[in-house]
Structures are given as C-alpha cells and as structure tokens.
Amino acid sequence: ERRKAKEEEERLAKIRAEEERLASLTEQQRQEENEAKEREELRIKAEMARKERQEREAREREEQERKEREEHEAERAWINSIEVGPAGFKFQLERLPLSARKCLLQLYTQINSRPEDELTRKVKLDNERFHEDCGQYEGGREALIAAGWKLQTLENIKYLTLVEPNLETNLDAWSDWYDAIKANLVTLKEILEP
C-alpha cells in the first residue's frame, strides 16, 4: 500500500512537473508571440513612416519642379516681352535714370575694350552693385536683354551673359556681335550726351 501511495505520489509529481513545464512553455510562447507582435507592429510603423516620408518628399519635389516651371515660364514670358535690337535697347535706356545709364556705359566701355573677357560679359542678377546701380530700375535688366544678353543659370546662380560667338569658326557672327557692342556703346553715349 505504501508502495502504491508512493507510486501515486510520484505519478502526481510527474504530472505536476509536466503541467508546470507546459505552463512555463505556454508563458514563454505567449511572451515570444507578444515580442513577435511588437516587432511586427514596429516594422509596420517603420514601413508606414518610410512611405509617408517618400510621399512627402515626392510632393515636395513636385512642388519644387512646379515652382521652377512657373518661374521659367515667367522668365520666358518676360524675355519675350522685350524688343531685342537697337530700337529695343534705346527704348529701355530711355526708361532708366541717368545713374543707371552711366552704369551701362561703364559696362559697355569695359566690354568694348576687352570683348574676350568673359567676366565683363557676365552679370549676376543678385549682384548688389549691379542691382543698386542699374538692375533695380525698370529697364535695367531689360536693356541688357534688348542688347542680346541671355539669361542663364549656372550652379543655381542666375546671370545675364553676353555670349561671344566663336571667332575661329564664325568670323562673320563674331564681327556682327562686336559691331553690336560698339553700336550699343554709341547709343549709350548719345543718350548721355545729347
């Protein structure tokens, strides 16, 4: 009878141990499942944040591109509104105050004396000195466009540039270009000294 009781006790101890082991496994499994769920939720949140960031960046790029297109179209419309050539140059000069005309005279004098010097034929639109002396006035930038200067963007900086034709490959175009410089200089002098 003792032996039976002892066997029964051992059997119950084994059952309890197995139940504890199973309970422990179940708790561990629940903990692992919870951790797996938390990892999955974090992954989903990270993926959603990544998608939101990509969408926001795409919207910002589209907005920037739209602004650049609008700005480019406005510049093109502005340039197309300016009469190019001697008459257009003279018209724009007449709109300028004396100080701005003198600024352009100085610029054209430098270009005439050193037409090969690219730096004298390039004006940054945000150049404070140019803006103060000429660019701030209605007709200042327009006079340069009328004289054949081109609006260019180099490394996100806008310039008005008087592009020189290649002397070696197109002597006639270069001669016409230089004649236009001299003619513009004469026009400036005539307007300043009537």
Side-chain angles (χ1 to χ4, degrees):
E1 171 107 6
R2 262 185 165 187
R3 196 168 151 231
K4 269 187 175 183
K6 192 168 188 160
E7 283 177 4
E8 182 64 25
E9 201 177 291
E10 287 176 6
R11 189 180 70 76
L12 288 174
K14 284 182 182 179
I15 290 173
R16 278 193 299 273
E18 182 63 20
E19 285 175 351
E20 285 177 15
R21 188 185 71 76
L22 287 175
S24 169
L25 281 177
T26 305
E27 182 60 35
Q28 186 178 355
Q29 287 172 338
R30 267 186 275 170
Q31 189 175 359
E32 287 174 359
E33 284 179 15
N34 285 340
E35 289 173 359
K37 282 180 185 178
E38 288 175 5
R39 282 192 304 272
E40 181 63 14
E41 288 173 2
L42 284 174
R43 187 194 66 75
I44 290 170
K45 286 179 181 178
E47 180 67 20
M48 288 173 57
R50 186 185 63 78
K51 284 182 181 179
E52 288 174 7
R53 186 186 74 246
Q54 288 175 334
E55 290 170 0
R56 184 183 68 249
E57 288 172 351
R59 283 191 307 272
E60 289 170 355
R61 275 192 307 275
E62 288 172 4
E63 179 65 17
Q64 181 64 29
E65 289 170 0
R66 183 190 62 75
K67 285 180 181 178
E68 287 173 2
R69 275 193 311 276
E70 288 175 358
E71 185 177 302
H72 183 71
E73 289 169 9
E75 286 173 351
R76 176 171 280 153
W78 171 69
I79 289 169
N80 290 337
S81 72
I82 300 167
E83 179 185 355
V84 177
F89 183 64
K90 187 173 183 179
F91 172 76
Q92 298 300 337
L93 291 177
E94 290 171 348
R95 299 170 64 195
L96 292 172
L98 181 63
S99 62
R101 293 175 189 173
K102 286 181 180 178
C103 170
L104 290 177
L105 176 65
Q106 181 182 7
L107 177 64
Y108 265 89
T109 301
Q110 290 173 354
I111 293 170
N112 185 54
S113 64
R114 294 187 319 272
E116 72 286 348
D117 185 1
E118 187 177 339
L119 291 177
T120 60
R121 296 181 284 109
K122 186 184 286 188
V123 175
K124 282 186 189 179
L125 284 184
D126 64 355
N127 180 301
E128 287 182 36
R129 176 93 188 253
F130 173 74
H131 181 75
E132 262 182 43
D133 295 347
C134 184
Q136 68 173 320
Y137 300 108
E138 192 73 29
R141 295 179 302 148
E142 292 83 353
L144 295 178
I145 296 293
W149 293 57
K150 304 295 181 203
L151 184 61
Q152 296 179 333
T153 303
L154 303 168
E155 298 178 7
N156 292 326
I157 299 172
K158 293 187 181 205
Y159 294 88
L160 281 171
T161 306
L162 185 58
V163 180
E164 177 183 18
N166 189 317
L167 177 62
E168 296 173 6
T169 60
N170 198 344
L171 180 60
D172 290 339
W174 191 91
S175 293
D176 292 344
W177 173 80
Y178 188 63
D179 288 345
I181 290 171
K182 291 188 290 188
N184 288 337
L185 185 56
V186 167
T187 301
L188 277 159
K189 287 178 179 177
E190 287 174 352
I191 286 179
L192 284 169
E193 302 163 7

